[in-house]
Amino acid sequence: MGAMRRNLLFSLAVIAFLSGSAYAAVTTEQTTDPEFLINSGYSQLTAEDVFMQKNRANGKPIEPLYEKNQNKFIKACRQFYAYLDPSIDEVDRIHHDIKPSPSFSDL
């Protein structure tokens, strides 16, 4: 009877050990990484938006994460039209890198 009770306790201990939850330590920095977001099922646009918001909050320059593959002729036409009409957002972005002082690039 003692051996059966010992085997039962050992079996219960093994089951309890195997059924315990595994805790993965994931930091906020890791969960906002674009690769992590894409692997978690979010789109490239969402990952890029999170990346740009993080850069804006940290005071880093805001640059697109992914470059769009466009025809060079169409891209040149869009840039020329954006040069003629300053109200057009030339890179099709919602976010702008706003600088408080004027610069040569404003002309």
Side-chain angles (χ1 to χ4, degrees):
M1 181 118 161
M4 189 171 95
R5 188 176 285 174
R6 195 173 357 162
N7 287 342
L8 179 63
L9 286 175
F10 180 72
S11 299
L12 289 175
V14 169
I15 290 172
F17 178 74
L18 293 177
S19 65
S21 60
Y23 294 103
V26 181
T27 64
T28 306
E29 185 69 29
Q30 291 171 335
T31 58
T32 56
D33 182 53
E35 184 178 349
F36 181 85
L37 289 170
I38 291 171
N39 290 339
S40 297
Y42 293 97
S43 67
Q44 283 186 350
L45 186 62
T46 302
E48 185 175 24
D49 191 40
V50 169
F51 177 74
M52 289 172 52
Q53 290 295 337
K54 270 180 39 179
N55 283 349
R56 174 177 280 155
N58 293 328
K60 296 178 183 175
I62 299 172
E63 299 172 356
L65 187 60
Y66 301 105
E67 293 292 329
K68 295 179 185 175
N69 293 334
Q70 284 186 350
N71 185 347
K72 290 183 180 183
F73 177 73
I74 293 174
K75 186 175 179 180
C77 289
R78 282 183 185 232
Q79 288 177 346
F80 179 71
Y81 184 70
Y83 177 75
L84 293 178
D85 187 4
S87 66
I88 298 293
D89 192 11
E90 68 231 38
V91 289
D92 298 326
R93 294 258 170 239
I94 296 172
H95 309 291
H96 300 279
D97 194 11
I98 299 173
K99 297 181 177 90
S101 59
S103 67
F104 181 74
S105 63
D106 294 337
L107 299 176

